[in-house]
Amino acid sequence: MDGLFFGLIVMVFAGALPCIILGYLIAVKQMRGLIAGWDESKISNPEAYAKLIGFSVLVLGTLIGLIAFIWYLGLVNEIGMTILLCVASLIPIPCVLIANARYGKHGS
């Protein structure tokens, strides 16, 4: 087994699959307790909030797998893969900000 294939396996099983599974559980199965710091009393629409957060994590996992596969095929080098992973890892941040702005209870 060569180093590229081993790297692909590690990225898929340690990065992509956990994100895909957690995103599915949060968005589709509505397991909102998996969201760090979850407090339902601070959210006006918990189902929509969980959908937005869960799908952003699901997209992140899909992108990690896609980036790993592109790297394995040799279409990008390690520096390019690192840049793509850093950009992809930022995707959930605006989704959390949007979810908090839309569904967070403001005021007391």
Side-chain angles (χ1 to χ4, degrees):
M1 176 169 16
D2 63 334
L4 284 177
F5 184 72
F6 182 71
L8 172 69
I9 295 300
V10 168
M11 287 177 67
V12 167
F13 284 105
L17 282 179
C19 287
I20 290 170
I21 291 169
L22 284 174
Y24 172 78
L25 290 174
I26 293 170
V28 178
K29 295 295 184 179
Q30 290 292 309
M31 296 178 128
R32 297 184 291 269
L34 294 173
I35 300 172
W38 178 254
D39 184 5
E40 196 154 332
S41 66
K42 295 182 179 180
I43 307 298
S44 63
N45 188 346
E47 292 82 17
Y49 188 93
K51 250 185 198 178
L52 187 57
I53 300 299
F55 281 125
S56 72
V57 175
L58 188 71
V59 167
L60 173 62
T62 305
L63 286 176
I64 290 172
L66 183 65
I67 291 166
F69 189 67
I70 289 171
W71 172 69
Y72 176 72
L73 293 177
L75 300 176
V76 294
N77 58 9
E78 284 80 11
I79 301 292
M81 176 192 64
T82 305
I83 292 169
L84 288 172
L85 286 172
C86 287
V87 170
S89 68
L90 297 176
I91 287 175
I93 295 172
C95 293
V96 168
L97 296 175
I98 291 168
N100 283 334
R102 282 188 189 167
Y103 307 115
K105 290 183 181 176
H106 305 288
S108 52

